[in-house]
Amino acid sequence: MLVFFGIYGAALADIMPDAAPRFASVEIELQPAVHKAPVRFMVKLAETETQRSYGLMHTPYLPDRHGMLFVFDTAALRQFWMKNTQIPLDMLFFDAYGMLVNIIHSATPFSLTPRVSAGPARYVLEINGGQAAKLGVRASARLILPLPVPSNRQ
């Protein structure tokens, strides 16, 4: 199943760009590679369809080590675009166990080009474009959440 976010949020944002939903914030950690220390990020949680559709649209600036974490109920192929997103973003796709699936580096602002996960993803972390490379994020990266994450990979 391919899930696409942006169409409904873009339509809402085109009509009411100031109608951003409320987002809870939480501190998470990203371990860039097996032998690297985790890095803390303050993220907004996008847990509802409305929040996921709106995402970081109309955000002119994202502080260093801040971002948005898209949380889905299940792992599936995910597809994002950058409509109404003013800043370049790295999109890090993680499976249900918090293991990195793939990275889209520095997605172009306002682009309608679909950005797709390479496999099923339950979490998507959006951070400033270029930050994943600066942190040395590798294939062994993992997401450390204060949220419930299954402990055993199947």
Side-chain angles (χ1 to χ4, degrees), residues 16-51:
M16 302 172 57
D18 296 329
R22 291 181 182 246
F23 296 95
S25 293
V26 66
E27 188 175 83
I28 64 163
E29 292 183 335
L30 170 65
Q31 184 175 10
V34 172
H35 299 292
K36 287 195 170 198
V39 178
R40 292 183 178 177
F41 281 86
M42 181 58 68
V43 297
K44 293 180 179 180
L45 292 177
E47 300 176 287
T48 67
E49 186 174 339
T50 300
Q51 291 169 331

mmCIF file of all heavy atoms in Angstrom, residues 16-51:
data_model
loop_
_atom_site.group_PDB
_atom_site.id
_atom_site.type_symbol
_atom_site.label_atom_id
_atom_site.label_comp_id
_atom_site.label_asym_id
_atom_site.label_seq_id
_atom_site.Cartn_x
_atom_site.Cartn_y
_atom_site.Cartn_z
ATOM 1 N N MET A 16 -6.668 28.112 3.453
ATOM 2 C CA MET A 16 -6.462 28.706 4.767
ATOM 3 C C MET A 16 -5.037 28.455 5.245
ATOM 4 O O MET A 16 -4.811 27.604 6.102
ATOM 5 C CB MET A 16 -7.463 28.108 5.760
ATOM 6 C CG MET A 16 -8.903 28.282 5.382
ATOM 7 S SD MET A 16 -10.024 27.360 6.460
ATOM 8 C CE MET A 16 -9.616 28.001 8.059
ATOM 9 N N PRO A 17 -4.032 29.180 4.714
ATOM 10 C CA PRO A 17 -2.653 28.883 5.079
ATOM 11 C C PRO A 17 -2.344 29.073 6.563
ATOM 12 O O PRO A 17 -1.385 28.532 7.064
ATOM 13 C CB PRO A 17 -1.830 29.841 4.219
ATOM 14 C CG PRO A 17 -2.777 30.859 3.738
ATOM 15 C CD PRO A 17 -4.144 30.256 3.761
ATOM 16 N N ASP A 18 -3.155 29.816 7.292
ATOM 17 C CA ASP A 18 -2.912 30.026 8.717
ATOM 18 C C ASP A 18 -3.583 28.966 9.586
ATOM 19 O O ASP A 18 -3.537 29.042 10.801
ATOM 20 C CB ASP A 18 -3.396 31.419 9.130
ATOM 21 C CG ASP A 18 -2.610 32.522 8.436
ATOM 22 O OD1 ASP A 18 -1.419 32.304 8.148
ATOM 23 O OD2 ASP A 18 -3.193 33.582 8.185
ATOM 24 N N ALA A 19 -4.227 28.004 8.976
ATOM 25 C CA ALA A 19 -4.985 26.998 9.721
ATOM 26 C C ALA A 19 -4.124 25.796 10.111
ATOM 27 O O ALA A 19 -4.551 24.672 9.975
ATOM 28 C CB ALA A 19 -6.178 26.547 8.897
ATOM 29 N N ALA A 20 -2.936 26.043 10.595
ATOM 30 C CA ALA A 20 -2.063 24.935 11.003
ATOM 31 C C ALA A 20 -2.662 24.216 12.197
ATOM 32 O O ALA A 20 -3.126 24.854 13.144
ATOM 33 C CB ALA A 20 -0.681 25.457 11.353
ATOM 34 N N PRO A 21 -2.664 22.888 12.167
ATOM 35 C CA PRO A 21 -3.161 22.145 13.330
ATOM 36 C C PRO A 21 -2.193 22.293 14.497
ATOM 37 O O PRO A 21 -1.043 22.695 14.333
ATOM 38 C CB PRO A 21 -3.209 20.708 12.828
ATOM 39 C CG PRO A 21 -2.246 20.652 11.694
ATOM 40 C CD PRO A 21 -2.224 22.024 11.083
ATOM 41 N N ARG A 22 -2.648 21.947 15.673
ATOM 42 C CA ARG A 22 -1.772 21.950 16.853
ATOM 43 C C ARG A 22 -0.955 20.661 16.855
ATOM 44 O O ARG A 22 -1.471 19.607 16.519
ATOM 45 C CB ARG A 22 -2.587 22.042 18.124
ATOM 46 C CG ARG A 22 -3.256 23.374 18.290
ATOM 47 C CD ARG A 22 -4.032 23.411 19.594
ATOM 48 N NE ARG A 22 -4.708 24.676 19.709
ATOM 49 C CZ ARG A 22 -4.422 25.582 20.630
ATOM 50 N NH1 ARG A 22 -3.484 25.346 21.518
ATOM 51 N NH2 ARG A 22 -5.075 26.716 20.670
ATOM 52 N N PHE A 23 0.303 20.791 17.232
ATOM 53 C CA PHE A 23 1.203 19.646 17.288
ATOM 54 C C PHE A 23 1.794 19.534 18.692
ATOM 55 O O PHE A 23 2.228 20.535 19.261
ATOM 56 C CB PHE A 23 2.377 19.820 16.315
ATOM 57 C CG PHE A 23 2.001 19.865 14.864
ATOM 58 C CD1 PHE A 23 1.815 21.070 14.216
ATOM 59 C CD2 PHE A 23 1.847 18.688 14.137
ATOM 60 C CE1 PHE A 23 1.488 21.111 12.868
ATOM 61 C CE2 PHE A 23 1.512 18.718 12.799
ATOM 62 C CZ PHE A 23 1.335 19.931 12.158
ATOM 63 N N ALA A 24 1.829 18.337 19.225
ATOM 64 C CA ALA A 24 2.576 18.091 20.460
ATOM 65 C C ALA A 24 4.054 18.048 20.091
ATOM 66 O O ALA A 24 4.411 17.692 18.962
ATOM 67 C CB ALA A 24 2.142 16.764 21.077
ATOM 68 N N SER A 25 4.915 18.408 21.031
ATOM 69 C CA SER A 25 6.363 18.328 20.815
ATOM 70 C C SER A 25 6.957 17.325 21.779
ATOM 71 O O SER A 25 6.474 17.157 22.904
ATOM 72 C CB SER A 25 7.012 19.693 21.032
ATOM 73 O OG SER A 25 6.607 20.600 20.032
ATOM 74 N N VAL A 26 8.002 16.668 21.323
ATOM 75 C CA VAL A 26 8.665 15.662 22.143
ATOM 76 C C VAL A 26 10.145 15.621 21.754
ATOM 77 O O VAL A 26 10.507 15.953 20.622
ATOM 78 C CB VAL A 26 7.993 14.271 21.973
ATOM 79 C CG1 VAL A 26 8.173 13.746 20.575
ATOM 80 C CG2 VAL A 26 8.494 13.280 22.985
ATOM 81 N N GLU A 27 10.976 15.222 22.689
ATOM 82 C CA GLU A 27 12.399 15.052 22.392
ATOM 83 C C GLU A 27 12.646 13.603 21.998
ATOM 84 O O GLU A 27 12.194 12.682 22.678
ATOM 85 C CB GLU A 27 13.247 15.425 23.602
ATOM 86 C CG GLU A 27 14.730 15.449 23.291
ATOM 87 C CD GLU A 27 15.539 15.932 24.470
ATOM 88 O OE1 GLU A 27 15.832 15.106 25.355
ATOM 89 O OE2 GLU A 27 15.857 17.134 24.502
ATOM 90 N N ILE A 28 13.329 13.424 20.884
ATOM 91 C CA ILE A 28 13.700 12.089 20.418
ATOM 92 C C ILE A 28 15.211 12.052 20.236
ATOM 93 O O ILE A 28 15.875 13.089 20.315
ATOM 94 C CB ILE A 28 13.002 11.728 19.083
ATOM 95 C CG1 ILE A 28 13.463 12.675 17.972
ATOM 96 C CG2 ILE A 28 11.499 11.735 19.233
ATOM 97 C CD1 ILE A 28 13.173 12.178 16.578
ATOM 98 N N GLU A 29 15.724 10.863 19.957
ATOM 99 C CA GLU A 29 17.146 10.731 19.656
ATOM 100 C C GLU A 29 17.310 9.977 18.347
ATOM 101 O O GLU A 29 16.538 9.063 18.039
ATOM 102 C CB GLU A 29 17.884 9.988 20.770
ATOM 103 C CG GLU A 29 17.947 10.774 22.056
ATOM 104 C CD GLU A 29 18.734 10.068 23.145
ATOM 105 O OE1 GLU A 29 18.838 8.817 23.112
ATOM 106 O OE2 GLU A 29 19.242 10.767 24.030
ATOM 107 N N LEU A 30 18.303 10.393 17.601
ATOM 108 C CA LEU A 30 18.692 9.731 16.362
ATOM 109 C C LEU A 30 20.114 9.247 16.552
ATOM 110 O O LEU A 30 21.026 10.046 16.819
ATOM 111 C CB LEU A 30 18.619 10.721 15.189
ATOM 112 C CG LEU A 30 19.225 10.254 13.869
ATOM 113 C CD1 LEU A 30 18.444 9.059 13.314
ATOM 114 C CD2 LEU A 30 19.239 11.395 12.865
ATOM 115 N N GLN A 31 20.305 7.940 16.470
ATOM 116 C CA GLN A 31 21.656 7.389 16.519
ATOM 117 C C GLN A 31 22.103 7.263 15.071
ATOM 118 O O GLN A 31 21.602 6.407 14.331
ATOM 119 C CB GLN A 31 21.695 6.035 17.224
ATOM 120 C CG GLN A 31 23.099 5.518 17.368
ATOM 121 C CD GLN A 31 23.166 4.236 18.186
ATOM 122 O OE1 GLN A 31 22.159 3.623 18.496
ATOM 123 N NE2 GLN A 31 24.391 3.840 18.528
ATOM 124 N N PRO A 32 23.025 8.141 14.614
ATOM 125 C CA PRO A 32 23.386 8.189 13.194
ATOM 126 C C PRO A 32 24.016 6.914 12.636
ATOM 127 O O PRO A 32 23.882 6.619 11.459
ATOM 128 C CB PRO A 32 24.388 9.342 13.111
ATOM 129 C CG PRO A 32 24.217 10.123 14.362
ATOM 130 C CD PRO A 32 23.722 9.147 15.389
ATOM 131 N N ALA A 33 24.707 6.163 13.479
ATOM 132 C CA ALA A 33 25.364 4.914 13.062
ATOM 133 C C ALA A 33 25.617 4.088 14.318
ATOM 134 O O ALA A 33 25.535 4.592 15.441
ATOM 135 C CB ALA A 33 26.669 5.215 12.327
ATOM 136 N N VAL A 34 25.977 2.835 14.104
ATOM 137 C CA VAL A 34 26.131 1.896 15.217
ATOM 138 C C VAL A 34 27.044 2.430 16.314
ATOM 139 O O VAL A 34 26.714 2.370 17.487
ATOM 140 C CB VAL A 34 26.645 0.527 14.707
ATOM 141 C CG1 VAL A 34 26.992 -0.395 15.862
ATOM 142 C CG2 VAL A 34 25.616 -0.120 13.817
ATOM 143 N N HIS A 35 28.194 2.958 15.974
ATOM 144 C CA HIS A 35 29.170 3.362 16.989
ATOM 145 C C HIS A 35 29.189 4.863 17.227
ATOM 146 O O HIS A 35 30.166 5.389 17.757
ATOM 147 C CB HIS A 35 30.562 2.866 16.612
ATOM 148 C CG HIS A 35 30.623 1.367 16.510
ATOM 149 N ND1 HIS A 35 30.485 0.541 17.607
ATOM 150 C CD2 HIS A 35 30.755 0.542 15.454
ATOM 151 C CE1 HIS A 35 30.552 -0.718 17.232
ATOM 152 N NE2 HIS A 35 30.718 -0.744 15.920
ATOM 153 N N LYS A 36 28.106 5.541 16.875
ATOM 154 C CA LYS A 36 28.010 6.985 17.110
ATOM 155 C C LYS A 36 27.013 7.248 18.223
ATOM 156 O O LYS A 36 26.015 6.547 18.362
ATOM 157 C CB LYS A 36 27.568 7.718 15.846
ATOM 158 C CG LYS A 36 28.641 7.796 14.789
ATOM 159 C CD LYS A 36 28.263 8.817 13.748
ATOM 160 C CE LYS A 36 29.450 9.065 12.840
ATOM 161 N NZ LYS A 36 29.311 10.299 12.105
ATOM 162 N N ALA A 37 27.290 8.280 18.985
ATOM 163 C CA ALA A 37 26.391 8.658 20.081
ATOM 164 C C ALA A 37 25.095 9.234 19.507
ATOM 165 O O ALA A 37 25.106 9.911 18.468
ATOM 166 C CB ALA A 37 27.062 9.695 20.968
ATOM 167 N N PRO A 38 23.987 8.968 20.177
ATOM 168 C CA PRO A 38 22.712 9.541 19.728
ATOM 169 C C PRO A 38 22.722 11.068 19.790
ATOM 170 O O PRO A 38 23.396 11.662 20.633
ATOM 171 C CB PRO A 38 21.693 8.968 20.720
ATOM 172 C CG PRO A 38 22.344 7.760 21.306
ATOM 173 C CD PRO A 38 23.816 8.068 21.320
ATOM 174 N N VAL A 39 21.961 11.670 18.886
ATOM 175 C CA VAL A 39 21.806 13.119 18.812
ATOM 176 C C VAL A 39 20.347 13.434 19.128
ATOM 177 O O VAL A 39 19.443 12.808 18.580
ATOM 178 C CB VAL A 39 22.161 13.636 17.394
ATOM 179 C CG1 VAL A 39 21.954 15.130 17.295
ATOM 180 C CG2 VAL A 39 23.589 13.250 17.038
ATOM 181 N N ARG A 40 20.136 14.407 20.000
ATOM 182 C CA ARG A 40 18.778 14.770 20.404
ATOM 183 C C ARG A 40 18.158 15.769 19.441
ATOM 184 O O ARG A 40 18.820 16.687 18.968
ATOM 185 C CB ARG A 40 18.777 15.348 21.814
ATOM 186 C CG ARG A 40 19.107 14.322 22.844
ATOM 187 C CD ARG A 40 19.032 14.884 24.220
ATOM 188 N NE ARG A 40 19.324 13.801 25.158
ATOM 189 C CZ ARG A 40 19.399 13.952 26.446
ATOM 190 N NH1 ARG A 40 19.189 15.129 26.986
ATOM 191 N NH2 ARG A 40 19.668 12.919 27.222
ATOM 192 N N PHE A 41 16.870 15.566 19.194
ATOM 193 C CA PHE A 41 16.067 16.473 18.367
ATOM 194 C C PHE A 41 14.773 16.791 19.095
ATOM 195 O O PHE A 41 14.177 15.910 19.725
ATOM 196 C CB PHE A 41 15.688 15.804 17.031
ATOM 197 C CG PHE A 41 16.768 15.799 16.014
ATOM 198 C CD1 PHE A 41 17.719 14.782 16.002
ATOM 199 C CD2 PHE A 41 16.854 16.791 15.055
ATOM 200 C CE1 PHE A 41 18.729 14.756 15.058
ATOM 201 C CE2 PHE A 41 17.865 16.778 14.106
ATOM 202 C CZ PHE A 41 18.798 15.759 14.100
ATOM 203 N N MET A 42 14.335 18.030 19.010
ATOM 204 C CA MET A 42 13.010 18.405 19.478
ATOM 205 C C MET A 42 12.121 18.389 18.235
ATOM 206 O O MET A 42 12.421 19.075 17.250
ATOM 207 C CB MET A 42 13.015 19.802 20.103
ATOM 208 C CG MET A 42 11.662 20.218 20.628
ATOM 209 S SD MET A 42 10.956 19.104 21.882
ATOM 210 C CE MET A 42 12.038 19.331 23.260
ATOM 211 N N VAL A 43 11.089 17.558 18.262
ATOM 212 C CA VAL A 43 10.239 17.411 17.084
ATOM 213 C C VAL A 43 8.777 17.644 17.416
ATOM 214 O O VAL A 43 8.328 17.413 18.543
ATOM 215 C CB VAL A 43 10.371 16.002 16.446
ATOM 216 C CG1 VAL A 43 11.795 15.769 15.952
ATOM 217 C CG2 VAL A 43 9.948 14.907 17.410
ATOM 218 N N LYS A 44 8.067 18.118 16.418
ATOM 219 C CA LYS A 44 6.616 18.166 16.480
ATOM 220 C C LYS A 44 6.124 16.805 16.014
ATOM 221 O O LYS A 44 6.674 16.236 15.066
ATOM 222 C CB LYS A 44 6.068 19.258 15.571
ATOM 223 C CG LYS A 44 6.414 20.659 16.023
ATOM 224 C CD LYS A 44 5.830 21.680 15.068
ATOM 225 C CE LYS A 44 6.150 23.085 15.515
ATOM 226 N NZ LYS A 44 5.591 24.089 14.586
ATOM 227 N N LEU A 45 5.096 16.287 16.670
ATOM 228 C CA LEU A 45 4.536 14.991 16.290
ATOM 229 C C LEU A 45 3.359 15.180 15.347
ATOM 230 O O LEU A 45 2.428 15.917 15.652
ATOM 231 C CB LEU A 45 4.054 14.228 17.526
ATOM 232 C CG LEU A 45 5.122 13.748 18.489
ATOM 233 C CD1 LEU A 45 4.466 13.086 19.692
ATOM 234 C CD2 LEU A 45 6.081 12.785 17.805
ATOM 235 N N ALA A 46 3.425 14.503 14.212
ATOM 236 C CA ALA A 46 2.318 14.482 13.248
ATOM 237 C C ALA A 46 1.701 13.087 13.343
ATOM 238 O O ALA A 46 2.192 12.137 12.731
ATOM 239 C CB ALA A 46 2.823 14.784 11.847
ATOM 240 N N GLU A 47 0.641 12.973 14.142
ATOM 241 C CA GLU A 47 0.038 11.672 14.415
ATOM 242 C C GLU A 47 -1.331 11.484 13.784
ATOM 243 O O GLU A 47 -1.795 10.357 13.648
ATOM 244 C CB GLU A 47 -0.085 11.467 15.931
ATOM 245 C CG GLU A 47 1.250 11.508 16.644
ATOM 246 C CD GLU A 47 1.106 11.397 18.142
ATOM 247 O OE1 GLU A 47 0.668 12.380 18.771
ATOM 248 O OE2 GLU A 47 1.412 10.313 18.665
ATOM 249 N N THR A 48 -1.991 12.569 13.432
ATOM 250 C CA THR A 48 -3.321 12.470 12.829
ATOM 251 C C THR A 48 -3.207 12.749 11.333
ATOM 252 O O THR A 48 -2.214 13.326 10.863
ATOM 253 C CB THR A 48 -4.304 13.478 13.436
ATOM 254 O OG1 THR A 48 -3.896 14.817 13.073
ATOM 255 C CG2 THR A 48 -4.369 13.351 14.956
ATOM 256 N N GLU A 49 -4.224 12.374 10.583
ATOM 257 C CA GLU A 49 -4.201 12.647 9.146
ATOM 258 C C GLU A 49 -4.086 14.138 8.865
ATOM 259 O O GLU A 49 -3.335 14.553 7.977
ATOM 260 C CB GLU A 49 -5.458 12.076 8.475
ATOM 261 C CG GLU A 49 -5.412 12.209 6.969
ATOM 262 C CD GLU A 49 -6.568 11.529 6.268
ATOM 263 O OE1 GLU A 49 -7.187 10.634 6.862
ATOM 264 O OE2 GLU A 49 -6.832 11.903 5.116
ATOM 265 N N THR A 50 -4.786 14.961 9.630
ATOM 266 C CA THR A 50 -4.718 16.419 9.442
ATOM 267 C C THR A 50 -3.310 16.924 9.698
ATOM 268 O O THR A 50 -2.769 17.705 8.910
ATOM 269 C CB THR A 50 -5.722 17.130 10.367
ATOM 270 O OG1 THR A 50 -7.042 16.675 10.053
ATOM 271 C CG2 THR A 50 -5.653 18.634 10.212
ATOM 272 N N GLN A 51 -2.683 16.470 10.783
ATOM 273 C CA GLN A 51 -1.316 16.895 11.095
ATOM 274 C C GLN A 51 -0.336 16.417 10.039
ATOM 275 O O GLN A 51 0.539 17.168 9.596
ATOM 276 C CB GLN A 51 -0.900 16.355 12.466
ATOM 277 C CG GLN A 51 -1.639 16.981 13.625
ATOM 278 C CD GLN A 51 -1.391 16.237 14.917
ATOM 279 O OE1 GLN A 51 -1.143 15.023 14.937
ATOM 280 N NE2 GLN A 51 -1.465 16.955 16.030
#
